[in-house]
Amino acid sequence: MGLDLIKELRSRTGAGIADCKKALEEANGDIEKAIDILREKGIAKAVKKAGRVTNEGVVASYIHPGNQLGVLVEVNCETDFVARTDEFKKLADEIALQIAASSPDYVSREEVPEDVIEKEKEIYRKQLEEEGKPANVIDRIIEGKIETFYKEHCLLEQPYLRDESITIEQLIKEHISKFGENITVRRFVRFKVGE
């Protein structure tokens, strides 16, 4: 594998030299495929770290030009060492920007109250019955609509605004893999003048 390819892969993913070399070999020199391989491996590593306690971190803010919209978000990690890095702060800033742009209501689907989901299902069911959809199809359609609801309203499930091929959850998992620490979004608040 050419050194230039390894360098490019390393700069695009932040993975170590040995991992980049291995991924490029596995992908037969196809850099895009190698990125996918590294992402998959990173996510697998991140899953193992998911249960670890996160008591350190930062509060990041974003104020939209014009001072009409602002966001505060708490992003946590395991150690003060990681919390102080520019890369961790940049991740927190990106998450604040995402919240400003995409206006989620919850961090994750687990936070959505059951009554909110039941109300959504009820609305969808009435719409579908009025459209004359058969009963056996309605439940399947509702499940699909609820998945869409989660993608629109839950921060972790939203497509990342700078790269819509990944979700915010996948972006965080890539950073978990990079830092070797669990990272969580604890809470956020979004203020809009007049709302």
Side-chain angles (χ1 to χ4, degrees), residues 18-30:
D19 288 335
C20 287
K21 193 171 179 224
K22 211 185 220 174
L24 278 165
E25 282 165 4
E26 213 176 303
N28 293 320
D30 180 336

Side-chain angles (χ1 to χ4, degrees), residues 170-184:
Q170 287 167 316
L171 175 74
I172 290 170
K173 282 180 176 173
E174 285 177 12
H175 283 78
I176 290 172
S177 175
K178 239 179 235 187
F179 291 126
E181 284 195 11
N182 193 16
I183 297 168
T184 55

Side-chain angles (χ1 to χ4, degrees), residues 1-3 5-7 9-10 13 15-29 34 37-38 41:
M1 288 302 134
L3 257 177
L5 261 184
I6 292 169
K7 270 184 188 165
L9 184 58
R10 190 151 187 235
T13 63
I17 291 172
D19 288 335
C20 287
K21 193 171 179 224
K22 211 185 220 174
L24 278 165
E25 282 165 4
E26 213 176 303
N28 293 320
I37 289 165
L38 286 170
K41 285 183 179 165

Side-chain angles (χ1 to χ4, degrees), residues 15 36 38 43 62 79 112-113 127 137 140:
D36 289 341
L38 286 170
I43 287 166
Y62 171 79
T79 65
V112 184
Q127 286 172 348
V137 175
R140 270 205 320 258

Side-chain angles (χ1 to χ4, degrees), residues 6 19 35 57 62 73 84 106 117 130 148 158 163 185 188:
I6 292 169
D19 288 335
I35 288 170
Y62 171 79
V73 61
R84 286 196 312 259
Y106 311 96
I117 294 299
E130 279 171 23
T148 303
Q158 291 182 334
D163 176 2
V185 177
F188 66 83

Side-chain angles (χ1 to χ4, degrees), residues 29-111:
D30 180 336
I31 195 153
E32 297 305 326
K33 200 172 170 191
I35 288 170
D36 289 341
I37 289 165
L38 286 170
R39 271 191 173 155
E40 283 160 18
K41 285 183 179 165
I43 287 166
K45 273 187 198 169
V47 168
K48 288 178 191 165
K49 293 178 173 56
R52 299 203 325 217
V53 178
T54 53
N55 288 331
E56 295 294 338
V58 295
V59 172
S61 64
Y62 171 79
I63 305 291
H64 194 67
N67 299 325
Q68 298 285 297
L69 171 68
V71 169
L72 285 175
V73 61
E74 181 181 348
V75 183
N76 299 119
C77 56
E78 294 178 43
T79 65
D80 186 40
F81 173 78
V82 165
R84 286 196 312 259
T85 64
D86 287 342
E87 198 172 356
F88 184 81
K89 289 175 191 162
K90 187 168 179 270
L91 172 66
D93 288 342
E94 284 295 295
I95 292 169
L97 180 62
Q98 176 82 27
I99 293 163
S102 300
S103 191
D105 297 304
Y106 311 96
V107 173
S108 67
R109 65 170 62 194
E110 289 75 25
E111 278 187 11

Side-chain angles (χ1 to χ4, degrees), residues 91-152:
L91 172 66
D93 288 342
E94 284 295 295
I95 292 169
L97 180 62
Q98 176 82 27
I99 293 163
S102 300
S103 191
D105 297 304
Y106 311 96
V107 173
S108 67
R109 65 170 62 194
E110 289 75 25
E111 278 187 11
V112 184
E114 193 55 43
D115 60 323
V116 170
I117 294 299
E118 287 311 312
K119 192 175 177 193
E120 287 296 314
K121 284 181 178 178
E122 208 178 293
I123 292 165
Y124 300 145
R125 189 172 299 282
K126 279 184 184 152
Q127 286 172 348
L128 295 163
E129 283 168 357
E130 279 171 23
E131 288 170 21
K133 295 271 191 264
N136 62 337
V137 175
I138 286 177
D139 286 340
R140 270 205 320 258
I141 295 172
I142 288 172
E143 285 313 307
K145 284 183 175 285
I146 292 297
E147 284 303 311
T148 303
F149 174 88
Y150 287 136
K151 285 185 177 83
E152 288 169 359

